Amino acid sequence: MNKLSRMLARKFVLAKPFEGLPKLTDFNIIEETIPTELQDGEILAKAEWWTVDPYMRLRSVANMKIGDQFTGGQVARVIKSRCAEFPEGSQVVGYFGWRDFTIYKPVPGGPRMYSSIQKMPEMKGLPDSYALGCMGMPGNTAYHGLLDICQPKSSETLVVSAAAGAVGSLVGQIGKIKGCKVIGFAGDDDKVNWLTNELGFDLAFNYKKVKLDETFKNYVPQKIDCYFDNVGGEFIYHVVQNMNEFGRISQCGSISAYNAQRKPGELPLVPFDYPLFRFNQMKLEGFNVRRWANNWFDGINAIRDWILEGKIKVRESVTEGFENIPQAFIDLLEGKNTGKQVIKATN
Amino acid sequence: MNKLSRMLARKFVLAKPFEGLPKLTDFNIIEETIPTELQDGEILAKAEWWTVDPYMRLRSVANMKIGDQFTGGQVARVIKSRCAEFPEGSQVVGYFGWRDFTIYKPVPGGPRMYSSIQKMPEMKGLPDSYALGCMGMPGNTAYHGLLDICQPKSSETLVVSAAAGAVGSLVGQIGKIKGCKVIGFAGDDDKVNWLTNELGFDLAFNYKKVKLDETFKNYVPQKIDCYFDNVGGEFIYHVVQNMNEFGRISQCGSISAYNAQRKPGELPLVPFDYPLFRFNQMKLEGFNVRRWANNWFDGINAIRDWILEGKIKVRESVTEGFENIPQAFIDLLEGKNTGKQVIKATN
């Protein structure tokens, strides 16, 4: 191989294990050379959009060593291909991680979902970045996590936490489409206003300014039937105190616990009212969106059509430039984004 | 009415609100006179068997005032009747409470289950007291709470806490009938031996002598699929740490919390690992056996037939005499019983 047959790629690796909220110094950019001559079945892809999502904080704690590349999805353009399924010039959604150029060999007949590689959804004119948000993993998380786990019925009351985030904002709007009374909680007043004024939530509150139990007692006298949980911890406790019999909690995330530090052997203490939970025959179910890999495009296409019909509104927080992925990730964990946080490639 | 048309009945009432474990001085026997001339539709019943169950501890905290009679089921003999459905001489299972003689008017067409009145199940020669245990509310609790909530599959691993109790001992045996590997936890060595030597549990442990997490790691390398929970609290935490993906927890009781005292405004802190619960897509569901009121005898008859076929063994802890109900209740809460705790009327 001569010099011309190789090129430079950049990637982010873990520089230092996170302690609490990640810091910029925990991330390193590394350059690596990759061949430009492809093997049979391979593609060379150039990232156009990256996504950062809360689950990455959890995964990084569990599985990453120093020097490991950060994982995650991209919308990428195939710039060279020896794989008929993903031809040159096409776009893919690839789980290539925080890097710009990628050589990837799709497993023939292998899984085609957010955590491997898939063709772009049929966007029908909607922005490409949606394939990482409302028409990607977060979209399906909202769709199936609400409809299959909570199974909300018309006129039931649905509470959503982290309601201005990529998933929560969809959950609330799908709840409205299904005839629920929807109550959202978010972390600042602008987000709260967005939920009620633009997204059609019946009520929304800034959880930093209100007492949860009081708020439920004053504003939700009919009590809660479904809770879509993105935060865990004390929030669930207060929901349980104000839930109807046969209440269902769909546990999507627990962002309140992701940055928590514990000493070895220390158990994560949270309030939980087991006797009441049993008395009212409640259900708490955790889920991973992989569960719906076999009907991956059902939710995505449904959300797309609701967007095209004007029933769902989407907002994105866009950061520009590969080098700013870590900052976008930190902003996300601090709740600075409204809607889906994505990063646009600038070169 | 002359003197002869009235008689004395005895009942237990709350003398003092419980603090922690109830004490004998928290209970009072009160005599009351009741008419012996019945109104149309009424029956006069004489208790033959009483039951004490853990849920009574919880209910007493929530709903009882000083002077209120303790509630609960009886097997009683109808000694006078003006109600064709429950004729003189027949036996009933009546929710008459801790009292000896009762005048009761069954609601025509009303509910016929453990918390109102029902005819005796078809006992096929089994002891009458079983109608308060394996062929009554605890039996249905085990049957439906395991089969409908956990939905165990053959060759899955089932863990049962309070496994030597009325419910737990049935749950484990039904698990074996369904092909599960069954692991029980109880509070003393005799109970543990009973579970493995007589009831066919695959493994059993004295939870007071072992560390749960270590025990699961050493003896349950295949991990847990179903957990039938009678205790709540830290036990659930350790199960969750050692559970397979899609693990199901059927939450029947939380006896560990019933005697807990908290200051006003203090939240009940327990360890709960929300991130792991979600990661492994687990489910926790509380239930009340009333849920199966419409097919109340399905479970009862199934258990009866398994007993007659020798597939289920039953043990009772029998206390004699009305006046000893409170002590039997305290013993139950202290875990002194093996199998179902019942009280036999002696006069």
Side-chain angles (χ1 to χ4, degrees), chain A residues 157 159 183 203 215-224 242:
Chain A
T157 294
V159 166
I183 298 153
L203 291 168
T215 304
F216 290 137
K217 294 214 165 22
N218 289 339
Y219 294 95
V220 197
Q222 78 278 22
K223 295 201 177 173
I224 303 160
N242 293 281

Side-chain angles (χ1 to χ4, degrees), chain A residues 233 236-237 246 251-254 267-272 274-275 277-278 281-288 291, chain B residues 233 236-237 246 251-254 267-272 274-275 277-278 281-288 291:
Chain A
I236 288 183
Y237 176 80
F246 297 113
Q251 193 213 0
C252 171
S254 38
L267 303 184
L269 290 179
V270 295
F272 198 100
Y274 280 112
F277 190 87
R278 193 209 63 80
Q281 312 200 54
M282 299 181 200
K283 186 156 67 177
L284 168 69
E285 185 168 356
F287 72 92
N288 182 313
R291 194 188 293 198
Chain B
I236 288 183
Y237 176 81
F246 297 112
Q251 194 212 359
C252 172
S254 38
L267 303 184
L269 290 178
V270 294
F272 198 101
Y274 280 112
F277 191 89
R278 193 210 62 79
Q281 311 199 56
M282 299 181 200
K283 185 156 68 176
L284 168 69
E285 184 167 357
F287 72 91
N288 182 314
R291 194 188 293 199

Side-chain angles (χ1 to χ4, degrees), chain B residues 22-70:
Chain B
K23 295 177 290 296
L24 286 178
T25 48
D26 299 338
F27 305 83
N28 256 348
I29 290 190
I30 301 282
E31 288 187 333
E32 64 178 17
T33 52
I34 56 173
T36 54
E37 301 294 322
L38 299 180
Q39 305 294 314
D40 192 40
E42 286 182 343
I43 61 169
L44 171 62
K46 179 181 188 296
E48 296 182 335
W49 292 91
W50 294 274
T51 174
V52 287
D53 300 279
Y55 78 87
M56 295 171 175
R57 176 65 181 87
L58 188 61
R59 173 161 308 176
S60 65
V61 175
N63 298 331
M64 284 183 79
K65 300 184 302 296
I66 289 175
D68 281 354
Q69 183 196 288
F70 287 89

Side-chain angles (χ1 to χ4, degrees), chain A residues 252-267:
Chain A
C252 171
S254 38
I255 200 166
S256 72
Y258 294 172
N259 290 319
Q261 297 282 310
R262 286 202 312 276
K263 289 173 196 147
E266 206 175 63
L267 303 184

Side-chain angles (χ1 to χ4, degrees), chain B residues 45-277:
Chain B
K46 179 181 188 296
E48 296 182 335
W49 292 91
W50 294 274
T51 174
V52 287
D53 300 279
Y55 78 87
M56 295 171 175
R57 176 65 181 87
L58 188 61
R59 173 161 308 176
S60 65
V61 175
N63 298 331
M64 284 183 79
K65 300 184 302 296
I66 289 175
D68 281 354
Q69 183 196 288
F70 287 89
T71 54
Q74 302 179 352
V75 168
R77 181 78 60 179
V78 179
I79 55 176
K80 235 174 165 178
S81 175
R82 293 188 62 188
C83 171
E85 189 182 349
F86 300 98
E88 191 177 316
S90 68
Q91 284 176 305
V92 299
V93 179
Y95 198 69
F96 303 153
W98 297 10
R99 57 182 297 134
D100 51 6
F101 290 96
T102 304
I103 290 179
Y104 188 82
K105 185 174 182 176
V107 179
R112 296 285 181 262
M113 63 176 298
Y114 79 97
S115 55
S116 52
I117 188 171
Q118 65 190 45
K119 292 182 183 176
M120 282 288 277
E122 206 186 325
M123 303 304 293
K124 294 199 175 172
L126 294 175
D128 291 342
S129 55
Y130 282 15
L132 298 173
C134 55
M135 290 179 62
M137 184 272 284
N140 264 346
T141 300
Y143 183 89
H144 292 289
L146 177 64
L147 299 182
D148 293 351
I149 306 284
C150 274
Q151 302 186 13
K153 295 181 204 70
S154 180
S155 86
E156 284 192 327
T157 293
L158 164 68
V159 166
V160 188
S161 55
V167 174
S169 59
L170 292 169
V171 168
Q173 293 181 86
I174 297 172
K176 287 308 299 175
I177 291 169
K178 296 296 176 185
C180 294
K181 177 157 180 150
V182 176
I183 298 152
F185 288 82
D188 72 46
D189 292 347
D190 286 345
K191 293 180 181 178
V192 164
N193 291 333
W194 179 59
L195 296 176
T196 49
N197 297 344
E198 296 190 39
L199 300 194
F201 281 52
D202 295 283
L203 291 169
F205 299 94
N206 182 340
Y207 73 86
K208 293 176 181 167
K209 288 189 176 173
V210 301
K211 289 191 172 166
L212 280 181
D213 191 64
E214 227 174 81
T215 304
F216 289 138
K217 294 214 165 24
N218 289 338
Y219 294 94
V220 196
Q222 79 277 22
K223 295 198 176 174
I224 302 160
D225 301 294
C226 299
Y227 169 48
F228 192 96
D229 176 51
N230 285 301
V231 300
E234 212 162 304
F235 206 111
I236 288 183
Y237 176 81
H238 291 297
V239 166
V240 165
Q241 296 295 316
N242 293 282
M243 208 162 207
N244 285 313
E245 194 174 31
F246 297 112
R248 291 89 70 199
I249 300 174
S250 176
Q251 194 212 359
C252 172
S254 38
I255 200 167
S256 72
Y258 294 172
N259 289 320
Q261 298 281 314
R262 288 202 311 275
K263 290 173 196 148
E266 207 175 63
L267 303 184
L269 290 178
V270 294
F272 198 101
D273 192 338
Y274 280 112
L276 182 62
F277 191 89

Side-chain angles (χ1 to χ4, degrees), chain B residues 324-338:
Chain B
N324 293 318
I325 299 178
Q327 186 61 55
F329 184 49
I330 294 168
D331 288 351
L332 173 82
L333 294 175
E334 289 195 292
K336 290 189 179 163
N337 62 305
T338 300

